[in-house]
Amino acid sequence: DSKPGILDDSDGPRMEVSRGNANDGGIEYGRLPFHRGGRDEFGDEENLAVAIAVNDVDSTFIPSAIQYDPDKKPPIYQNRRFRLYMCSGFVLLIMITLAVSFAVSRNVGSTSNSNNIQSSLRTDSPTFSPTLSPTTANFQGIIGEISKLTDVALFNDINTPQGKAFKWIHDDDPRQLSARDDFLLQRYALVVMYYSLQENGPWATCGEEDNSHQNSTLCDGRKRIFPSGVDEVVYEVVPDEVKWLSAEHECNWFGVYCDLDDSVVIIEIIDNNLVGTLPRELSTLTFLEYFRISFNGLRGPLPVWFSECRQLRDIELHFNQFTGPIPEAIYDRADFERINLGGNMLSGTISTRIGELINLKGFFLHENAFSETIPTEIGLLSPDTLAYTWWHQNTFSGTLPTEIGNLNKLREFWFFNMGLSGNIPTEIGLLYDVEFLRLESNKFSGKIPEEIYNNVRLTNLYLSNNFLTGTLSSNVKKLVDIKEISMKTNFLTGPIPDDFSNLNSLDMLWLHYNNFKGPVPSSVCTLTFLSLTDLHADCLKGGNLPARNECTCCTVCCESIPGGLCYLMN
């Protein structure tokens, strides 16, 4: 029987705990709703005495007694405190011995390394005299830090960009950074870049020699702009910029932008007479996200170290003088968002690893010397993000891969003057967001695919200078946003469809140098009163041949013979 005042397995509610909470509905937060053996459970009976039976026979074993002498002390080696002190002292002695040995060996090694570095820095005729003695700890520390980026032989030679940068950091920099400064290597790397890109003399603006501003620290920078309809180069003055190699923090230098922690995240210096090769020291800018040095004179192969800048998302090096192939290391980074290598002298083939660049929004390879076929992996090239890709004016061969139909986020697709042949793939009609479609000056043959008119967001369609045949489809009327159409210099036949008259935004229509028959429809001419300002057709006779397309509204009429002349009409 259970006894009063004792809670056994059947007494009261049972509490089960899961993840720290009681599951029983009558128990909250794991607490019992009563006190064990208290007044709440048993009322006034809590003071009752309870008799408990005792067995007559006690079988408990009792060991024999041992006489105790309070004045007798045990031997000292049996004293626990003594043994603890002895062990602690022994351990401490071992630690002191090891520390002394390590310090001695460390000092010997450090002295040897210091002597080696100082020996390498000595020359029969010193290239520069440091402000601080080479034996100072700061001098040695700066050498140690910079040698993490640059070979000692390079920064020991005052004729190299690294040597000039080392001298400036140590002797001439008004900030006089210590070896422990968090931004020593960042500042050094930028100074190396500055000296590396002066092969054609001083920078156009904001270099160390710039005296354009009354404040010796400041300069009037410039920014290249591209106004619509203007062919010549136009600059916009950017006043009160900070010169490079000034006393200011490098984050304030012209074209350099930093985050809130003063780490460089953007370098943007466009068209500023930067000539030379990019130094590897820039790889220390581990937070660099945007590198934009276009319209300058950078030369040599593309740097492999781009792939080492783990935050780098945007590379814009167009219109420089880079040579060689695209390094395979570029494809190691799947998180690039924009790569612009156009307008250089790059060559070789496009790697099948191109499909590994899955986050690009813009990819530009135009105006280089790339060759061979376009890999089918182009269909894997950021299909969910790629909006702009220009490959024009290279020397590719073969056909346009059907896999381009996967790039359904494209807005600009510039593949003209590339030597491509075969039919225009029907998958071209899957580029539902495309606005600029440029396939002119290739060797495409066959008919214009009907699917091309599914791209109803087209504003500019260029198919000229190919070998296209067949007639123009009435589905052209679906291109309601189109502004410019060029189909000149092909072998198109049949009548000129009056469906062009539905294109109320059409500004340019070039149909000349084809085999169209019949007049330009009068309904098309009505567009000249709305938006159409540039209409070309074969509306002049050629020799004894009559005009193929009579036209009363054309702005330019061409002779109806191969290679015929074109004339501006009144």
Side-chain angles (χ1 to χ4, degrees):
D1 294 335
S2 61
K3 299 178 175 60
I6 299 176
L7 186 66
D8 65 10
D9 290 341
S10 62
D11 209 354
R14 179 172 298 176
M15 183 177 69
E16 297 178 1
V17 179
S18 174
R19 297 188 299 276
N21 295 319
N23 292 332
D24 191 284
I27 303 175
E28 295 182 0
Y29 309 113
R31 298 183 62 185
L32 294 173
F34 51 84
H35 301 288
R36 294 187 181 182
R39 187 179 182 87
D40 294 338
E41 183 178 3
F42 299 107
D44 294 333
E45 295 180 354
E46 64 177 336
N47 295 321
L48 293 178
V50 179
I52 301 176
V54 179
N55 294 332
D56 294 335
V57 180
D58 191 350
S59 60
T60 305
F61 171 76
I62 301 176
S64 59
I66 300 176
Q67 185 176 4
Y68 172 69
D69 183 1
D71 296 325
K72 183 179 180 180
K73 295 182 179 180
I76 191 170
Y77 64 85
Q78 293 183 358
N79 188 292
R80 287 187 297 173
R81 183 174 297 177
F82 172 81
R83 284 181 289 180
L84 178 62
Y85 289 161
M86 287 293 293
C87 291
S88 299
F90 183 73
V91 171
L92 182 60
L93 179 62
I94 292 176
M95 292 177 64
I96 292 174
T97 303
L98 291 175
V100 171
S101 300
F102 177 79
V104 171
S105 62
R106 178 76 172 177
N107 185 56
V108 172
S110 176
T111 303
S112 176
N113 290 337
S114 176
N115 291 337
N116 290 338
I117 292 177
Q118 291 189 44
S119 175
S120 67
L121 287 173
R122 297 192 191 102
T123 60
D124 293 336
S125 177
T127 54
F128 62 92
S129 300
T131 303
L132 300 177
S133 170
T135 59
T136 64
N138 190 54
F139 181 82
Q140 297 296 334
I142 291 177
I143 289 177
E145 290 299 309
I146 290 179
S147 62
K148 296 176 182 178
L149 295 180
T150 304
D151 186 86
V152 174
L154 281 177
F155 67 74
N156 185 42
D157 185 352
I158 194 60
N159 296 313
T160 65
Q162 290 80 3
K164 294 176 182 178
F166 177 75
K167 179 183 183 302
W168 186 86
I169 286 287
H170 188 266
D171 288 359
D172 305 325
D173 185 2
R175 298 182 73 86
Q176 285 297 294
L177 300 183
S178 72
R180 297 181 179 180
D181 194 287
D182 292 338
F183 299 102
L184 172 66
L185 293 184
Q186 173 175 281
R187 194 169 178 87
Y188 168 74
L190 291 176
V191 179
V192 173
M193 170 183 158
Y194 175 76
Y195 284 120
S196 296
L197 303 182
Q198 286 196 321
E199 292 185 6
N200 195 37
W203 291 4
T205 62
C206 294
E208 185 181 24
E209 307 86 351
D210 191 331
N211 296 315
S212 62
H213 202 284
Q214 59 183 2
N215 187 324
S216 61
T217 301
L218 303 181
C219 60
D220 290 329
R222 71 180 187 183
K223 178 181 180 181
R224 183 169 179 168
I225 58 176
F226 302 89
S228 178
V230 178
D231 293 332
E232 64 268 16
V233 177
V234 179
Y235 297 102
E236 181 180 89
V237 176
V238 184
D240 300 332
E241 290 287 333
V242 176
K243 295 197 304 186
W244 279 60
L245 274 61
S246 68
E248 293 285 330
H249 193 285
E250 62 273 11
C251 289
N252 297 324
W253 292 352
F254 172 65
V256 179
Y257 305 87
C258 295
D259 59 18
L260 296 178
D261 296 322
D262 287 337
S263 297
V264 174
V265 293
I266 299 175
I267 299 177
E268 182 179 71
I269 307 175
I270 298 173
D271 196 0
N272 202 43
N273 195 38
L274 276 60
V275 179
T277 58
L278 291 173
R280 184 176 180 80
E281 282 77 5
L282 290 175
S283 64
T284 195
L285 305 179
T286 54
F287 293 94
L288 185 65
E289 297 182 29
Y290 301 89
F291 191 70
R292 299 166 176 166
I293 312 290
S294 55
F295 295 97
N296 282 290
L298 307 186
R299 59 176 181 80
L302 289 172
V304 176
W305 54 259
F306 278 146
S307 62
E308 299 174 16
C309 297
R310 307 312 298 178
Q311 304 297 323
L312 190 58
R313 296 183 293 166
D314 189 325
I315 302 174
E316 297 187 46
L317 300 175
H318 46 295
F319 294 102
N320 281 285
Q321 299 172 18
F322 288 107
T323 55
I326 298 176
E328 285 290 307
I330 291 291
Y331 305 109
D332 293 338
R333 289 282 312 284
D335 46 358
F336 281 123
E337 294 182 1
R338 176 159 49 185
I339 298 177
N340 193 338
L341 305 176
N344 282 282
M345 295 181 285
L346 299 172
S347 58
T349 60
I350 303 301
S351 173
T352 56
R353 294 185 62 195
I354 190 176
E356 298 177 27
L357 302 174
I358 58 175
N359 289 302
L360 284 174
K361 297 177 182 177
F363 189 48
F364 305 91
L365 301 178
H366 56 288
E367 299 181 49
N368 280 288
F370 294 116
S371 59
E372 302 299 330
T373 59
I374 298 173
T376 58
E377 286 79 5
I378 189 175
L380 302 175
L381 184 64
S382 311
D384 296 325
T385 58
L386 188 64
Y388 305 92
T389 188
W390 298 0
W391 294 43
H392 57 278
Q393 291 180 248
N394 279 284
T395 55
F396 291 107
S397 59
T399 60
L400 184 61
T402 59
E403 286 79 5
I404 62 163
N406 296 332
L407 308 179
N408 52 27
K409 298 297 182 182
L410 274 177
R411 295 177 61 185
E412 293 188 7
F413 187 69
W414 292 25
F415 270 50
F416 65 89
N417 196 9
M418 293 172 57
L420 299 177
S421 58
N423 294 337
I424 298 175
T426 58
E427 288 78 5
I428 200 79
L430 299 176
L431 308 181
Y432 301 123
D433 288 337
V434 71
E435 298 172 3
F436 276 76
L437 182 56
R438 301 195 60 176
L439 300 177
E440 75 267 25
S441 301
N442 281 292
K443 301 175 184 177
F444 290 121
S445 57
K447 296 181 178 181
I448 299 173
E450 285 289 314
E451 290 79 4
I452 203 169
Y453 304 111
N454 293 334
N455 302 321
V456 295
R457 295 186 179 180
L458 271 172
T459 60
N460 297 72
L461 175 62
Y462 303 98
L463 301 177
S464 55
N465 297 90
N466 281 289
F467 298 94
L468 299 173
T469 58
T471 61
L472 288 181
S473 170
S474 61
N475 282 324
V476 70
K477 63 179 179 288
K478 295 165 63 176
L479 305 179
V480 293
D481 292 329
I482 199 77
K483 295 179 180 179
E484 295 185 1
I485 296 177
S486 177
M487 297 185 177
K488 74 179 186 71
T489 317
N490 279 290
F491 297 93
L492 300 174
T493 58
I496 296 173
D498 61 3
D499 300 274
F500 284 117
S501 62
N502 295 315
L503 309 179
N504 293 327
S505 298
L506 189 62
D507 176 68
M508 185 193 86
L509 179 60
W510 288 5
L511 302 174
H512 55 295
Y513 296 153
N514 276 288
N515 294 322
F516 292 119
K517 298 295 184 181
V520 175
S522 58
S523 59
V524 175
C525 285
T526 60
L527 292 178
T528 59
F529 299 101
L530 298 174
S531 59
L532 187 58
T533 62
D534 194 1
L535 175 59
H536 294 201
D538 295 328
C539 44
L540 288 179
K541 65 179 183 179
N544 296 325
L545 298 175
R548 292 194 186 99
N549 316 122
E550 293 183 4
C551 183
T552 60
C553 61
C554 287
T555 56
V556 172
C557 279
C558 299
E559 295 177 334
S560 300
I561 56 174
L565 299 178
C566 294
Y567 296 89
L568 183 65
M569 308 304 291
N570 293 328

